[in-house]
Amino acid sequence: NWRGHNNVGFCLIEKGDREGARDQFAEALRLQPNAIDALDNMGMWVLNSDNPAEALPYFERLREVDPGRKRLNFHLGQALAGQGLLDEAVREFNEELRRKPGSAEARMQLGWALERQKKFNEAAAAYRDTLAIAPEWPQPLCRFALLLVDADAKELRNPDEAIRLASKAVNVSSRE
């Protein structure tokens, strides 16, 4: 049955067999094309692959069958950003933040999408908000540091603050 294939796929991911997991999720979806957990798992598998933009159809179908799915807007935002659909990605990250205002991940991804749109002040605000929630998370520390030395973001240029943030990321990472 589809649930069995989905569960085997999930276990194979935990074991490190990504290809086997993909095959199991695909079989689950062949047997039950609207299986919520299989759509979510396959979408996540693709999102974490070399071609994350291809996750979009799985999350779009998931939205059709379970529009209130936890973290759906976040995952849709990631898939849309992977396809370069940044306006749509920003919309999804903002919707995720409306549903879950304390999501540091959604704020960081929002900052990244805004940065790619060259909306540097908004990106900086998103990174600051992320760091207010998760002050020792290396990824936004690094993203914000790089933004502060980006040649295109002249109004934000602050090499000293960038060095401080990047150094903090190194220190945090070395403790992990």
Side-chain angles (χ1 to χ4, degrees):
N1 69 24
W2 75 266
R3 281 186 182 90
H5 288 287
N6 186 63
N7 291 339
V8 168
F10 190 79
C11 291
L12 287 170
I13 288 232
E14 293 300 312
K15 184 182 171 191
D17 182 357
R18 290 189 38 79
E19 300 308 311
R22 181 203 57 220
D23 295 344
Q24 292 295 316
F25 297 144
E27 181 62 14
L29 290 170
R30 187 189 68 73
L31 294 169
Q32 178 56 266
N34 291 328
I36 293 167
D37 290 337
L39 285 167
D40 199 19
N41 286 335
M42 182 62 110
M44 289 303 301
W45 185 95
V46 175
L47 196 60
N48 291 309
S49 72
D50 291 337
N51 215 350
E54 292 179 10
L56 192 55
Y58 298 102
F59 293 126
E60 286 175 335
R61 188 162 3 132
L62 186 57
R63 173 179 269 162
E64 291 171 13
V65 295
D66 188 11
R69 182 78 171 182
K70 183 180 176 185
R71 294 176 53 89
L72 176 61
N73 298 101
F74 177 72
H75 296 139
L76 269 166
Q78 289 179 298
L80 288 161
Q83 287 194 350
L85 301 170
L86 299 174
D87 289 337
E88 293 88 343
V90 166
R91 184 183 65 244
E92 294 297 339
F93 293 133
N94 279 324
E95 180 60 23
E96 180 73 14
L97 289 167
R98 187 187 68 71
R99 291 178 181 209
K100 188 178 175 191
S103 173
E105 288 178 301
R107 288 192 189 285
M108 206 278 304
Q109 290 292 327
L110 174 63
W112 177 74
L114 290 165
E115 186 177 346
R116 288 180 59 198
Q117 290 179 310
K118 307 252 185 246
K119 295 179 179 177
F120 299 122
N121 287 320
E122 292 175 58
Y127 291 143
R128 281 188 196 97
D129 291 346
T130 302
L131 293 171
I133 297 166
E136 296 200 346
W137 185 14
Q139 192 173 4
L141 285 164
C142 290
R143 287 282 354 130
F144 194 18
L146 291 171
L147 178 61
L148 294 176
V149 293
D150 187 315
D152 292 333
K154 291 177 178 71
E155 70 276 8
L156 295 172
R157 191 151 182 79
N158 188 338
D160 291 335
E161 180 64 3
I163 291 167
R164 186 189 74 75
L165 291 168
S167 296
K168 183 175 181 179
V170 169
N171 290 334
V172 168
S173 296
S174 67
R175 292 192 304 239
E176 294 177 351

